[in-house]
Amino acid sequence: KWSGTAWECAPDDNTTYDGSDFATSNQACTTGQVVTGVGANGAVTCAPDKDTTYDGSDFATSNQACTAGKVVTGVGANGAVTCAPDKDTTYDGSDFATSNQACTTGQVVTGVSASGALTCTSLPASGSSVVRGTYRNGGSGYVRINHYSKGMNEIGSVDLPSAGAWMITVTGVVANSASSLLGGNDRSTYCDLLAPGGAMLQRTGVDTSGSDNDGPLGIQFAGTLAAGHYGVVCETIGGAEDNTNTGVLWLQVNAQSFASVS
């Protein structure tokens, strides 16, 4: 050290420490405790580790499970899970078509029954009977469609000459275009295929909302049908009821006989 006039040797007081400076060595808290402070003599103080001591009032307790066919529906105040039958994954034919079904070779699916069973129909045989119905090809042949407040109006039809297995096909274009003969008017369109007597066999919707927008019309129905008049009726939704500017520009309705429907 510097004595004031010269350098000389002396004890190094700066590297001599005790508990008044730091926590002394060779100390530890017991299991389940944590250090909470250091005393004036360098001894650590310990306390229980409350932050990692939990019970059922904090979380669901471990080693729990619902029995087969049940799901967890909640957790009680004591951490015990509550269970109930898993109703959401129990389905039958009233919800969907049931599994392990198929149509026989040469048949196609035409629907699903209330019990979930597929209904099938045979593909048309070579030389099967075809009945032509309404045919419209734009221009002056278009038909305006009623506003729903006035009821549906018929835009086309086909007459079946005899009872049997038939497939009726309807294709066309419903127009709601500012550039078309019908003018523009925001709306959507619904069309039904009706059996003789007025029972609805099938419904389809055509999006014709917005200006300058035409939509495709398509219906296909197969089944064992009676002889008689099968009409295609439509109505528009939206727009002013006294300004129906939606109509059918192009339409073709045909029926084709089948070997059988099962």
Side-chain angles (χ1 to χ4, degrees):
K1 294 185 176 181
W2 182 253
S3 65
T5 58
W7 290 100
E8 57 185 31
C9 294
D12 184 4
D13 293 335
N14 292 337
T15 57
T16 301
Y17 306 105
D18 58 22
S20 62
D21 299 290
F22 303 104
T24 54
S25 301
N26 197 27
Q27 298 185 84
C29 292
T30 58
T31 301
Q33 292 191 326
V34 293
V35 174
T36 57
V38 180
N41 62 351
V44 297
T45 54
C46 301
D49 184 9
K50 295 182 179 179
D51 290 340
T52 56
T53 302
Y54 307 107
D55 57 24
S57 62
D58 300 289
F59 304 104
T61 53
S62 302
N63 197 29
Q64 299 186 82
C66 294
T67 57
K70 292 187 176 182
V71 294
V72 174
T73 57
V75 180
N78 62 350
V81 297
T82 55
C83 302
D86 184 9
K87 297 180 179 179
D88 291 339
T89 55
T90 302
Y91 305 108
D92 57 25
S94 63
D95 301 288
F96 305 104
T98 53
S99 301
N100 198 29
Q101 298 186 82
C103 294
T104 59
T105 302
Q107 292 191 323
V108 293
V109 175
T110 58
V112 180
S113 71
S115 63
L118 298 181
T119 56
C120 303
T121 187
S122 300
L123 294 172
S126 176
S128 59
S129 177
V130 175
V131 178
R132 304 292 183 186
T134 301
Y135 176 75
R136 304 186 189 282
N137 189 20
S140 60
Y142 76 84
V143 175
R144 292 184 185 273
I145 296 174
N146 283 350
H147 188 268
Y148 74 92
S149 62
K150 298 179 180 179
M152 290 181 150
N153 62 304
E154 185 173 291
I155 62 168
S157 64
V158 64
D159 294 313
L160 299 187
S162 60
W166 292 90
M167 176 178 284
I168 299 176
T169 303
V170 181
T171 54
V173 174
V174 176
N176 176 31
S177 172
S179 62
S180 75
L181 296 169
L182 305 174
N185 196 1
D186 292 345
R187 65 186 68 250
S188 294
T189 302
Y190 292 94
C191 295
D192 296 345
L193 175 63
L194 302 183
M200 184 180 71
L201 299 178
Q202 189 166 320
R203 165 167 287 190
T204 188
V206 183
D207 181 11
T208 52
S209 58
S211 62
D212 197 20
N213 186 18
D214 300 343
L217 167 62
I219 296 176
Q220 189 171 66
F221 183 86
T224 301
L225 303 177
H229 183 82
Y230 289 77
V232 181
V233 297
C234 299
E235 66 183 4
T236 62
I237 305 296
E241 62 181 270
D242 60 347
N243 185 25
T244 303
N245 292 323
T246 299
V248 177
L249 280 179
W250 180 85
L251 181 71
Q252 184 168 336
V253 185
N254 292 327
Q256 188 166 17
S257 64
F258 279 65
S260 64
V261 175
S262 59

